Amino acid sequence: MVSYITFFTGAGVSAESGIPTFRGSEGLWRKYNPMDLATPEAFQKNPKLVWEFYDDRRQNIARAKPNKAHLLMADIEKKFPNVAVITQNVDGLHQRAGSENVIELHGNIWKVRCIRCGKEEYNYEAPLKELPPSCKYCGGMLRPGVVWFGESLPFNELNRAFEIAERSNFFIVVGTSCQVYPAAQLPFVAKQKGSKVIEINPEYTPVSDIADISIRKKATEGMEEVFKILINS
Ligand code: NAD
Ligand code: ZN
């Protein structure tokens, strides 16, 4: 039987690349909580402040490199026929590591979208010249092309993610606290449909209760173990 291998990742997979997570991060971004800035309300109230936060993150991500965990996932995609990465991250590091089948559930920090004409495109300028940036087609204000707390996930990506979860044989959850729904449901759907669930996270999460294997390690070390498990399966 051909195995379907799925990686489901969150901010923790990029932590060792020097990209901070939101929850349990080293504290505050300036005097604000990142989770209070990643909302439509925050953007409405103070677009410049929200853009300063994203501009900082974009510069940090531009300097960061994919780590061993991203690289091992890309390597596994080359060795096995049906591998997918479903990510809640917006940093694009999976693609930079060489993964091709990546589903981005929360958008991408390198995308900008006009709130007036709706045009969305990639913009790799970091730092941006003006904050908030404006649309080169209509002059409207641009917003980051990411999904904020309280917004719905992109329909097609979410559907694909659930389809993939349902047919997985190995569902490997890496560096996500599994607290943000509906994405957090994916490991449970996979398990219910008979997949083996492996978790890599130094901390306990709701997935730990249903995981066949819990690897209480950082992503890079944990992925080396998973690599061996898959090669020997
Ligand atoms: P999250 O809810 O996915 O939580 C981070 C998890 O990573 C925690 O469970 C933590 O125990 C674990 N972790 C920390 N260091 C780790 C390591 N070295 N190896 C493995 N696991 C590790 O993410 P969040 O920070 O609460 O962010 C909420 C939302 O914002 C999510 O959609 C998230 O992906 C997004 N976000 C994305 C990025 C990024 O693109 N890199 C960064 C911050 C936040
Ligand atoms: Zn526009």
Side-chain angles (χ1 to χ4, degrees), residues 69-112:
H70 301 105
L71 293 168
L72 282 171
M73 289 177 202
D75 194 24
I76 288 163
E77 186 178 316
K78 290 187 181 69
K79 290 189 164 64
F80 292 85
N82 296 299
V83 178
V85 177
I86 302 170
T87 189
Q88 300 163 85
N89 292 346
V90 297
D91 57 33
L93 287 187
H94 286 298
Q95 292 91 330
R96 278 171 60 195
S99 285
E100 285 175 24
N101 191 16
V102 182
I103 296 144
E104 293 181 318
L105 292 179
H106 293 165
N108 189 297
I109 202 162
W110 298 110
K111 279 184 185 163
V112 292

Short mmCIF file of all heavy atoms in Angstrom, two decimals, residues 69-112:
data_model
loop_
_atom_site.label_atom_id
_atom_site.label_comp_id
_atom_site.label_asym_id
_atom_site.label_seq_id
_atom_site.Cartn_x
_atom_site.Cartn_y
_atom_site.Cartn_z
N ALA A 69 14.64 20.66 10.31
CA ALA A 69 13.29 20.08 10.30
C ALA A 69 12.61 20.36 8.95
O ALA A 69 12.06 19.44 8.32
CB ALA A 69 12.45 20.65 11.45
N HIS A 70 12.68 21.62 8.48
CA HIS A 70 12.12 21.93 7.15
C HIS A 70 12.82 21.08 6.08
O HIS A 70 12.18 20.56 5.17
CB HIS A 70 12.35 23.40 6.78
CG HIS A 70 11.77 24.42 7.72
ND1 HIS A 70 12.55 25.15 8.59
CD2 HIS A 70 10.50 24.86 7.90
CE1 HIS A 70 11.78 25.99 9.26
NE2 HIS A 70 10.53 25.84 8.88
N LEU A 71 14.15 20.99 6.19
CA LEU A 71 14.93 20.30 5.15
C LEU A 71 14.61 18.81 5.11
O LEU A 71 14.50 18.23 4.02
CB LEU A 71 16.43 20.53 5.37
CG LEU A 71 16.90 21.99 5.16
CD1 LEU A 71 18.32 22.19 5.69
CD2 LEU A 71 16.82 22.38 3.68
N LEU A 72 14.43 18.20 6.29
CA LEU A 72 14.11 16.76 6.31
C LEU A 72 12.73 16.50 5.69
O LEU A 72 12.53 15.51 5.00
CB LEU A 72 14.19 16.21 7.73
CG LEU A 72 15.61 15.94 8.25
CD1 LEU A 72 15.60 15.61 9.75
CD2 LEU A 72 16.28 14.79 7.48
N MET A 73 11.80 17.41 5.94
CA MET A 73 10.46 17.24 5.32
C MET A 73 10.57 17.30 3.80
O MET A 73 9.93 16.51 3.09
CB MET A 73 9.51 18.33 5.82
CG MET A 73 9.12 18.14 7.27
SD MET A 73 8.06 19.49 7.84
CE MET A 73 8.35 19.37 9.61
N ALA A 74 11.38 18.23 3.29
CA ALA A 74 11.56 18.35 1.84
C ALA A 74 12.24 17.09 1.28
O ALA A 74 11.89 16.60 0.20
CB ALA A 74 12.38 19.59 1.52
N ASP A 75 13.17 16.56 2.04
CA ASP A 75 13.88 15.35 1.63
C ASP A 75 12.92 14.15 1.57
O ASP A 75 12.95 13.35 0.63
CB ASP A 75 15.02 15.10 2.65
CG ASP A 75 16.01 14.09 2.15
OD1 ASP A 75 16.11 13.93 0.91
OD2 ASP A 75 16.68 13.45 2.98
N ILE A 76 12.06 14.06 2.57
CA ILE A 76 11.08 12.96 2.61
C ILE A 76 10.14 13.06 1.40
O ILE A 76 9.76 12.04 0.82
CB ILE A 76 10.32 12.99 3.96
CG1 ILE A 76 11.27 12.52 5.08
CG2 ILE A 76 9.07 12.11 3.92
CD1 ILE A 76 10.83 12.86 6.48
N GLU A 77 9.80 14.29 0.98
CA GLU A 77 8.94 14.47 -0.19
C GLU A 77 9.61 13.90 -1.45
O GLU A 77 8.94 13.41 -2.36
CB GLU A 77 8.61 15.96 -0.39
CG GLU A 77 7.60 16.21 -1.49
CD GLU A 77 7.23 17.69 -1.65
OE1 GLU A 77 6.99 18.37 -0.63
OE2 GLU A 77 7.18 18.15 -2.79
N LYS A 78 10.96 13.95 -1.49
CA LYS A 78 11.67 13.40 -2.65
C LYS A 78 11.75 11.88 -2.60
O LYS A 78 11.80 11.22 -3.62
CB LYS A 78 13.07 14.01 -2.73
CG LYS A 78 12.95 15.46 -3.11
CD LYS A 78 14.27 16.15 -3.38
CE LYS A 78 14.01 17.60 -3.73
NZ LYS A 78 13.52 18.41 -2.58
N LYS A 79 11.73 11.32 -1.38
CA LYS A 79 11.90 9.87 -1.22
C LYS A 79 10.59 9.09 -1.27
O LYS A 79 10.59 7.90 -1.56
CB LYS A 79 12.60 9.58 0.11
CG LYS A 79 14.07 10.00 0.13
CD LYS A 79 14.76 9.48 1.39
CE LYS A 79 16.27 9.54 1.28
NZ LYS A 79 16.81 10.91 1.16
N PHE A 80 9.48 9.73 -0.93
CA PHE A 80 8.19 9.04 -0.87
C PHE A 80 7.23 9.67 -1.88
O PHE A 80 7.33 10.85 -2.19
CB PHE A 80 7.60 9.12 0.54
CG PHE A 80 8.37 8.35 1.57
CD1 PHE A 80 9.46 8.91 2.21
CD2 PHE A 80 8.00 7.05 1.90
CE1 PHE A 80 10.18 8.20 3.17
CE2 PHE A 80 8.71 6.33 2.86
CZ PHE A 80 9.80 6.90 3.49
N PRO A 81 6.25 8.88 -2.36
CA PRO A 81 5.40 9.39 -3.45
C PRO A 81 4.33 10.41 -3.04
O PRO A 81 3.98 11.28 -3.81
CB PRO A 81 4.74 8.13 -4.00
CG PRO A 81 4.81 7.13 -2.90
CD PRO A 81 6.00 7.46 -2.08
N ASN A 82 3.78 10.29 -1.87
CA ASN A 82 2.63 11.14 -1.53
C ASN A 82 2.83 11.90 -0.23
O ASN A 82 2.34 11.50 0.82
CB ASN A 82 1.37 10.27 -1.42
CG ASN A 82 1.03 9.64 -2.74
OD1 ASN A 82 0.77 10.32 -3.72
ND2 ASN A 82 1.09 8.31 -2.78
N VAL A 83 3.55 12.97 -0.33
CA VAL A 83 3.89 13.75 0.87
C VAL A 83 3.30 15.16 0.73
O VAL A 83 3.40 15.77 -0.33
CB VAL A 83 5.42 13.82 1.06
CG1 VAL A 83 5.78 14.66 2.28
CG2 VAL A 83 6.01 12.42 1.19
N ALA A 84 2.69 15.62 1.79
CA ALA A 84 2.16 16.99 1.79
C ALA A 84 2.56 17.69 3.08
O ALA A 84 2.74 17.05 4.12
CB ALA A 84 0.63 16.97 1.68
N VAL A 85 2.73 18.99 2.98
CA VAL A 85 2.93 19.82 4.17
C VAL A 85 1.73 20.75 4.28
O VAL A 85 1.45 21.51 3.35
CB VAL A 85 4.23 20.66 4.07
CG1 VAL A 85 4.36 21.57 5.30
CG2 VAL A 85 5.46 19.78 3.93
N ILE A 86 1.03 20.64 5.39
CA ILE A 86 -0.06 21.59 5.67
C ILE A 86 0.50 22.51 6.76
O ILE A 86 0.87 22.03 7.83
CB ILE A 86 -1.32 20.87 6.20
CG1 ILE A 86 -1.81 19.83 5.19
CG2 ILE A 86 -2.41 21.87 6.52
CD1 ILE A 86 -2.90 18.90 5.73
N THR A 87 0.59 23.79 6.47
CA THR A 87 1.23 24.67 7.46
C THR A 87 0.32 25.81 7.89
O THR A 87 -0.47 26.33 7.09
CB THR A 87 2.59 25.21 6.96
OG1 THR A 87 3.24 25.87 8.04
CG2 THR A 87 2.43 26.19 5.79
N GLN A 88 0.46 26.16 9.16
CA GLN A 88 -0.21 27.37 9.67
C GLN A 88 0.76 28.54 9.62
O GLN A 88 0.41 29.66 9.96
CB GLN A 88 -0.63 27.15 11.12
CG GLN A 88 -1.59 25.98 11.30
CD GLN A 88 -1.67 25.54 12.75
OE1 GLN A 88 -2.42 26.07 13.54
NE2 GLN A 88 -0.86 24.57 13.11
N ASN A 89 1.99 28.27 9.21
CA ASN A 89 2.99 29.33 9.18
C ASN A 89 2.83 30.19 7.93
O ASN A 89 2.33 29.75 6.91
CB ASN A 89 4.40 28.75 9.22
CG ASN A 89 4.70 28.10 10.55
OD1 ASN A 89 3.95 28.32 11.51
ND2 ASN A 89 5.75 27.33 10.63
N VAL A 90 3.33 31.41 8.07
CA VAL A 90 3.23 32.36 6.97
C VAL A 90 4.61 32.73 6.43
O VAL A 90 4.74 33.60 5.58
CB VAL A 90 2.50 33.65 7.45
CG1 VAL A 90 1.06 33.31 7.87
CG2 VAL A 90 3.23 34.33 8.60
N ASP A 91 5.65 32.05 6.93
CA ASP A 91 7.03 32.48 6.65
C ASP A 91 7.62 31.94 5.34
O ASP A 91 8.69 32.38 4.91
CB ASP A 91 7.95 32.14 7.83
CG ASP A 91 7.96 30.66 8.20
OD1 ASP A 91 7.81 29.81 7.29
OD2 ASP A 91 8.13 30.35 9.39
N GLY A 92 6.97 30.97 4.72
CA GLY A 92 7.46 30.45 3.45
C GLY A 92 8.73 29.60 3.55
O GLY A 92 9.34 29.25 2.54
N LEU A 93 9.12 29.21 4.77
CA LEU A 93 10.38 28.45 4.92
C LEU A 93 10.29 27.03 4.38
O LEU A 93 11.29 26.46 3.95
CB LEU A 93 10.85 28.44 6.38
CG LEU A 93 11.42 29.76 6.94
CD1 LEU A 93 11.99 29.56 8.33
CD2 LEU A 93 12.49 30.34 6.02
N HIS A 94 9.09 26.44 4.39
CA HIS A 94 8.98 25.09 3.81
C HIS A 94 9.33 25.12 2.32
O HIS A 94 10.05 24.26 1.82
CB HIS A 94 7.55 24.55 3.98
CG HIS A 94 7.23 24.13 5.38
ND1 HIS A 94 7.91 23.13 6.02
CD2 HIS A 94 6.32 24.58 6.26
CE1 HIS A 94 7.41 22.97 7.24
NE2 HIS A 94 6.44 23.85 7.42
N GLN A 95 8.80 26.11 1.62
CA GLN A 95 9.09 26.22 0.18
C GLN A 95 10.57 26.51 -0.03
O GLN A 95 11.19 25.94 -0.93
CB GLN A 95 8.25 27.33 -0.46
CG GLN A 95 6.75 27.06 -0.50
CD GLN A 95 6.00 27.56 0.73
OE1 GLN A 95 6.55 27.62 1.82
NE2 GLN A 95 4.74 27.90 0.56
N ARG A 96 11.14 27.38 0.81
CA ARG A 96 12.56 27.68 0.65
C ARG A 96 13.43 26.46 0.92
O ARG A 96 14.54 26.33 0.40
CB ARG A 96 12.96 28.85 1.55
CG ARG A 96 12.62 30.19 0.92
CD ARG A 96 12.81 31.35 1.87
NE ARG A 96 14.17 31.48 2.35
CZ ARG A 96 14.52 32.23 3.39
NH1 ARG A 96 13.61 32.90 4.06
NH2 ARG A 96 15.77 32.30 3.77
N ALA A 97 12.93 25.53 1.75
CA ALA A 97 13.67 24.29 2.04
C ALA A 97 13.55 23.30 0.88
O ALA A 97 14.27 22.30 0.84
CB ALA A 97 13.16 23.66 3.33
N GLY A 98 12.60 23.54 -0.03
CA GLY A 98 12.44 22.65 -1.19
C GLY A 98 11.15 21.85 -1.20
O GLY A 98 10.91 21.06 -2.11
N SER A 99 10.29 22.02 -0.21
CA SER A 99 8.99 21.33 -0.25
C SER A 99 8.15 21.95 -1.36
O SER A 99 8.12 23.17 -1.53
CB SER A 99 8.25 21.49 1.08
OG SER A 99 8.82 20.67 2.07
N GLU A 100 7.49 21.06 -2.14
CA GLU A 100 6.70 21.57 -3.26
C GLU A 100 5.20 21.51 -3.01
O GLU A 100 4.44 22.36 -3.44
CB GLU A 100 7.05 20.82 -4.54
CG GLU A 100 8.40 21.29 -5.07
CD GLU A 100 8.89 20.51 -6.26
OE1 GLU A 100 8.07 19.91 -6.99
OE2 GLU A 100 10.13 20.47 -6.47
N ASN A 101 4.81 20.47 -2.28
CA ASN A 101 3.37 20.30 -2.02
C ASN A 101 3.02 20.91 -0.66
O ASN A 101 2.91 20.20 0.34
CB ASN A 101 3.05 18.80 -2.08
CG ASN A 101 1.56 18.55 -2.10
OD1 ASN A 101 0.76 19.45 -2.36
ND2 ASN A 101 1.18 17.32 -1.78
N VAL A 102 2.91 22.24 -0.64
CA VAL A 102 2.68 22.96 0.62
C VAL A 102 1.31 23.63 0.58
O VAL A 102 1.00 24.34 -0.39
CB VAL A 102 3.77 24.04 0.86
CG1 VAL A 102 3.54 24.74 2.18
CG2 VAL A 102 5.17 23.42 0.81
N ILE A 103 0.53 23.40 1.58
CA ILE A 103 -0.77 24.08 1.70
C ILE A 103 -0.68 25.09 2.82
O ILE A 103 -0.46 24.73 3.98
CB ILE A 103 -1.89 23.05 1.97
CG1 ILE A 103 -1.99 22.14 0.76
CG2 ILE A 103 -3.23 23.74 2.23
CD1 ILE A 103 -2.32 20.75 1.10
N GLU A 104 -0.83 26.34 2.46
CA GLU A 104 -0.72 27.41 3.47
C GLU A 104 -2.12 27.79 3.95
O GLU A 104 -2.90 28.38 3.22
CB GLU A 104 -0.04 28.64 2.85
CG GLU A 104 1.42 28.37 2.50
CD GLU A 104 2.12 29.59 1.89
OE1 GLU A 104 1.51 30.28 1.05
OE2 GLU A 104 3.29 29.83 2.25
N LEU A 105 -2.40 27.45 5.20
CA LEU A 105 -3.74 27.71 5.73
C LEU A 105 -3.93 29.15 6.19
O LEU A 105 -5.05 29.63 6.27
CB LEU A 105 -4.03 26.77 6.91
CG LEU A 105 -4.19 25.29 6.57
CD1 LEU A 105 -4.44 24.50 7.85
CD2 LEU A 105 -5.32 25.07 5.57
N HIS A 106 -2.83 29.81 6.54
CA HIS A 106 -2.94 31.17 7.08
C HIS A 106 -2.29 32.22 6.19
O HIS A 106 -1.89 33.28 6.66
CB HIS A 106 -2.33 31.22 8.50
CG HIS A 106 -3.12 30.43 9.50
ND1 HIS A 106 -2.63 30.09 10.75
CD2 HIS A 106 -4.36 29.90 9.45
CE1 HIS A 106 -3.55 29.39 11.41
NE2 HIS A 106 -4.60 29.26 10.64
N GLY A 107 -2.17 31.91 4.89
CA GLY A 107 -1.61 32.88 3.97
C GLY A 107 -0.09 32.93 4.02
O GLY A 107 0.57 31.99 4.49
N ASN A 108 0.46 34.05 3.52
CA ASN A 108 1.90 34.16 3.40
C ASN A 108 2.29 35.62 3.67
O ASN A 108 1.66 36.54 3.14
CB ASN A 108 2.32 33.75 1.97
CG ASN A 108 3.80 33.64 1.83
OD1 ASN A 108 4.53 34.62 1.98
ND2 ASN A 108 4.28 32.44 1.54
N ILE A 109 3.30 35.79 4.50
CA ILE A 109 3.68 37.14 4.93
C ILE A 109 4.27 37.97 3.78
O ILE A 109 4.34 39.19 3.86
CB ILE A 109 4.64 37.06 6.13
CG1 ILE A 109 4.62 38.39 6.92
CG2 ILE A 109 6.06 36.67 5.71
CD1 ILE A 109 5.16 38.28 8.33
N TRP A 110 4.66 37.30 2.68
CA TRP A 110 5.20 38.03 1.54
C TRP A 110 4.12 38.48 0.57
O TRP A 110 4.40 39.10 -0.45
CB TRP A 110 6.27 37.19 0.82
CG TRP A 110 7.42 36.91 1.73
CD1 TRP A 110 7.75 35.70 2.27
CD2 TRP A 110 8.36 37.86 2.26
NE1 TRP A 110 8.83 35.83 3.10
CE2 TRP A 110 9.23 37.15 3.11
CE3 TRP A 110 8.54 39.23 2.09
CZ2 TRP A 110 10.27 37.77 3.80
CZ3 TRP A 110 9.57 39.86 2.78
CH2 TRP A 110 10.43 39.13 3.62
N LYS A 111 2.86 38.15 0.89
CA LYS A 111 1.76 38.62 0.05
C LYS A 111 1.18 39.90 0.63
O LYS A 111 1.12 40.07 1.86
CB LYS A 111 0.63 37.58 0.02
CG LYS A 111 0.87 36.45 -0.95
CD LYS A 111 -0.35 35.56 -0.97
CE LYS A 111 -0.14 34.34 -1.83
NZ LYS A 111 -1.16 33.31 -1.50
N VAL A 112 0.77 40.81 -0.26
CA VAL A 112 0.04 42.00 0.17
C VAL A 112 -1.28 42.04 -0.61
O VAL A 112 -1.34 41.57 -1.75
CB VAL A 112 0.84 43.30 -0.10
CG1 VAL A 112 2.07 43.37 0.79
CG2 VAL A 112 1.26 43.41 -1.57
#
